[in-house]
Amino acid sequence: MGKAEVSLEHLYKVFTKPEGRDSKLAQIEEHLSDNLADFLSQHVVTDARSLEQIEKEFAQFSVPDSPQFVSEHAESLLEKLVTHSVNTYSPTFIGHMTSALPYFHLPLAKLLVGLNQNLVKIETSKAFTPLERQVLGMMHELVYGESEQFYQTYLHSAQSSLGAFCSGGTVANMTALWVARNKLFAAQDGFKGIAREGFGAALAHYGVNKVGILSSKRGHYSLSKAVDLLGLGRDQMLTVDCPTQRLSPEKALVLGKEFQQQGNKLLALVGIAGTTETGHVDPLDELADVAQELDCHFHVDAAWGGASLFSDNYRHVLKGIERADSVTLDAHKQMYVPMGAGMALFKNPEDSNAVRHHAQYILRAGSKDLGATTLEGSRNGMAMMVYASLHIFGRQGYQLLIDQSIEKAKAFAKMISDHSDFELVTSPTLALLTYRLCPAAIQEKMKSKATEQSRLNEQLDKLTVAVQKQQRESGKSFVSRTRLTVEQYPAQPITVFRVVLANPLTSLGDLTAILEEQLTIAQQTPDWRSLNQ
């Protein structure tokens, strides 16, 4: 393998110009610009190689001494990295919340990297800072719908913020709950506030034993991370069983009161707008009433479902979200933006000041540096991608995308229900659903012999796992799987296929082929033969 010349002159060229337009990198760039989906279909190779086998390609643990030509390194990346990546653009990749992207993000990504703006401070993001504030304002208006005067006052205010741009929903949830914690234990009667004096002093001053967060068991794992990070302790992540996949306001109120009657304080009630596993939406309006009665912060995690607000036909599913004190959104899900575009929005722009920080060389008092109220410091200008999408798609374009995804999910659910050997487990509220293989004879036996349910469910679990693994390894299509407790089988959790219909290119023909493939795989397994004996 050739080695590049080690000299400052060579290194300067790496910063200023490519090696030549016939370089491998230039070819890749041209192909990507022409048709990304075609590039992926040609270069991403589906095989049965295990993760352990791929890890051997990346086993070198020391930094190479000598430079390498860019073209040679690009060839290496194609062979080792791209070849074994996941083709998320494929219309039959329907197992996760990652989807195909609009073509215009490719040239914009090159511009984003080339500009290399750092959104922590104005001095490195003079134009990107007001752009990000505008994007936060647009999304705030989508959720809360405040007056024109409100946005004129707060959009570019140095004293407050409508929200915080984050790398994703996890950091957005943490940001929202961080704000809630600092508000709960604010400065009072000589106490300087939790941000200054710490958690122990806050509990002592306010006379509180423990502090907790309450959600359904369908809440995202980032909530558990948040109670850990914020010092509440993982045992203070209070969850309610939800066999109907939605948080019961009555159960939430009972659990919240029981917790408070023990000398504790509830920091926040979290409603989910689009659960990760089934796509269900909690009764947000009723939960807002519960939060008010419990006198706690009301946060809505709408990382997945928040984009449904663009649709006049489905916006009502999120009724009550406008009453939330804070809301998490992920643009890299149903807004079709590249990975790393989450947002935490605050109903009251003054709430951001609960976590405001200053430093002498940046984030000076009175500045509009975004890093003063964000958990993350240095970060790129991903808001530009959201800004572009909002303008290129507009509300009407996003409505069409949201509507077709949900309607496709409903059509797929009907397809499953009509098939004698499949069982629809959770119907789609948004564009997610779960189902499993269940031979017609077994479905009848489950209805007539309740005592047999436990044994049969265990056999069906094994069948689901076997089919999901083999389908993934064959590489024609991909669905994920999960385990959950559902209303029709309350005695035990069951293993199910989980489908996310986010890719607009996925057709009903693709979905039919996926079911046929699953049935074919199943019929060749010992579990299927055992069930049908």
Side-chain angles (χ1 to χ4, degrees):
M1 183 179 293
K3 296 296 182 183
E5 181 185 354
V6 185
S7 68
L8 276 176
E9 182 181 1
H10 166 76
L11 295 178
Y12 289 155
K13 288 180 181 179
V14 173
F15 282 87
T16 56
K17 66 178 181 179
E19 296 172 42
R21 297 314 299 168
D22 60 340
S23 70
K24 190 65 183 178
L25 200 61
Q27 294 173 32
I28 293 173
E29 183 180 0
E30 183 178 358
H31 199 162
L32 285 172
S33 299
D34 288 344
N35 191 326
L36 177 57
D38 181 50
F39 174 85
L40 292 175
S41 66
Q42 288 187 32
H43 290 90
V44 176
V45 178
T46 299
D47 58 22
R49 186 175 293 196
S50 68
L51 177 62
E52 289 73 20
Q53 289 172 313
I54 296 173
E55 284 174 343
K56 291 178 181 178
E57 299 281 357
F58 301 95
Q60 182 179 338
F61 53 83
S62 58
V63 177
D65 286 330
S66 303
Q68 187 180 28
F69 287 113
V70 173
S71 292
E72 289 183 0
H73 183 66
E75 188 73 55
S76 173
L77 284 180
L78 273 179
E79 293 175 1
K80 295 167 62 176
L81 185 67
V82 177
T83 297
H84 302 294
S85 291
V86 176
N87 187 0
T88 56
Y89 275 67
S90 170
T92 56
F93 178 88
I94 58 169
H96 288 299
M97 294 176 173
T98 308
S99 173
L101 294 173
Y103 78 92
F104 60 80
H105 281 305
L106 279 167
L108 287 179
K110 188 173 182 180
L111 180 63
L112 183 68
V113 171
L115 287 170
N116 198 28
Q117 305 289 286
N118 185 349
L119 273 288
V120 70
K121 55 187 179 291
I122 293 282
E123 292 167 354
T124 54
S125 59
K126 187 176 180 180
F128 272 65
T129 292
L131 177 144
E132 182 168 296
R133 284 181 172 274
Q134 183 182 11
V135 169
L136 289 168
M138 289 175 168
M139 300 310 296
H140 192 282
E141 193 275 338
L142 181 71
V143 173
Y144 293 110
E146 300 286 357
S147 66
E148 182 178 344
Q149 180 60 47
F150 175 91
Y151 294 106
Q152 287 176 350
T153 301
Y154 291 110
L155 194 64
H156 296 295
S157 169
Q159 284 73 48
S160 58
S161 177
L162 295 170
F165 217 90
C166 312
S167 59
T170 292
V171 176
N173 281 339
M174 289 178 176
T175 298
L177 295 170
W178 178 31
V179 166
R181 189 202 66 171
N182 285 13
K183 280 180 59 186
L184 178 63
F185 296 114
Q188 178 196 78
D189 300 332
F191 174 63
K192 298 175 184 177
I194 190 171
R196 294 283 300 276
E197 297 197 38
F199 209 92
L203 294 178
H205 176 80
Y206 278 87
V208 175
N209 294 328
K210 298 176 182 178
V211 181
I213 293 172
L214 195 159
S215 80
S216 80
K217 285 198 172 176
R218 292 286 167 265
H220 193 255
Y221 63 82
S222 61
L223 299 177
S224 181
K225 286 184 176 181
V227 294
D228 188 348
L229 185 68
L230 294 174
L232 280 61
R234 295 187 190 184
D235 289 348
Q236 272 53 257
M237 182 67 245
L238 313 176
T239 58
V240 178
D241 286 329
C242 51
T244 64
Q245 314 310 316
R246 303 173 81 221
L247 177 57
S248 161
E250 293 78 16
K251 290 182 179 179
L253 181 60
V254 169
L255 182 57
K257 284 188 172 181
E258 285 178 355
F259 184 72
Q260 291 181 334
Q261 286 166 2
Q262 296 167 8
N264 305 318
K265 182 65 178 176
L266 195 64
L267 173 65
L269 173 62
V270 181
I272 313 299
T275 61
T276 306
E277 291 178 297
T278 66
H280 280 74
V281 178
D282 287 336
L284 303 179
D285 215 16
E286 293 93 327
L287 291 178
D289 292 335
V290 173
Q292 195 169 25
E293 186 166 348
L294 293 172
D295 190 25
C296 69
H297 186 96
F298 181 41
H299 175 64
V300 172
D301 182 355
W304 168 252
S308 303
L309 292 169
F310 286 111
S311 170
D312 292 337
N313 297 315
Y314 293 101
R315 183 185 177 94
H316 68 276
V317 177
L318 274 66
K319 182 179 182 294
I321 193 172
E322 71 283 354
R323 299 177 63 189
D325 297 298
S326 56
V327 173
T328 285
L329 297 174
D330 267 356
H332 56 245
K333 291 190 170 75
Q334 289 194 95
M335 289 177 66
Y336 302 98
V337 170
M339 202 62 59
M343 287 163 272
L345 304 175
F346 308 119
K347 185 178 181 68
N348 182 354
E350 304 291 344
D351 283 359
S352 61
N353 292 322
V355 296
R356 185 174 291 275
H357 280 248
H358 299 296
Q360 288 302 315
Y361 68 104
I362 56 171
L363 315 183
R364 300 180 186 94
S367 77
K368 294 185 178 181
D369 293 344
L370 296 172
T373 55
T374 58
L375 180 59
E376 295 160 293
S378 296
R379 54 189 178 80
N380 66 12
M382 278 302 296
M384 183 188 82
M385 300 300 211
V386 184
Y387 179 86
S389 294
L390 289 171
H391 284 80
I392 292 170
F393 287 128
R395 284 184 184 244
Q396 293 177 4
Y398 271 125
Q399 170 163 320
L400 288 171
L401 288 169
I402 295 298
D403 287 358
Q404 66 86 30
S405 290
I406 296 176
E407 286 155 16
K408 194 186 304 176
K410 290 179 178 178
F412 190 37
K414 185 177 187 307
M415 195 185 303
I416 293 165
S417 295
D418 290 346
H419 198 295
S420 59
D421 290 322
F422 284 91
E423 178 185 18
L424 183 67
V425 178
T426 59
S427 299
T429 300
L430 301 177
L432 272 78
L433 56 92
T434 64
Y435 66 102
R436 65 178 179 174
L437 279 149
C438 188
I442 299 301
Q443 292 186 43
E444 288 303 315
K445 187 178 288 187
M446 298 273 267
K447 293 175 185 175
S448 60
K449 297 183 178 180
T451 55
E452 293 284 296
Q453 279 191 4
S454 179
R455 181 183 64 82
L456 292 173
N457 275 329
E458 288 177 3
Q459 287 187 267
L460 290 169
D461 287 348
K462 290 173 60 180
L463 176 66
T464 302
V465 171
V467 171
Q468 194 269 344
K469 284 184 176 179
Q470 191 169 332
Q471 187 173 32
R472 179 188 65 201
E473 290 172 0
S474 69
K476 294 178 184 178
S477 57
F478 173 75
V479 297
S480 60
R481 72 173 192 263
T482 190
R483 265 179 85 74
L484 61 153
T485 302
V486 294
E487 200 169 11
Q488 56 268 48
Y489 305 113
Q492 65 190 127
I494 61 171
T495 302
V496 294
F497 298 121
R498 169 180 170 271
V499 164
V500 185
L501 292 174
N503 191 338
L505 305 178
T506 302
S507 68
L508 291 179
D510 292 323
L511 299 176
T512 300
I514 287 170
L515 291 184
E516 290 174 353
E517 183 187 14
Q518 289 178 330
L519 185 57
T520 299
I521 293 171
Q523 290 171 341
Q524 297 169 356
T525 65
D527 299 300
W528 180 271
R529 290 191 291 272
S530 175
L531 282 163
N532 281 280
Q533 284 176 354

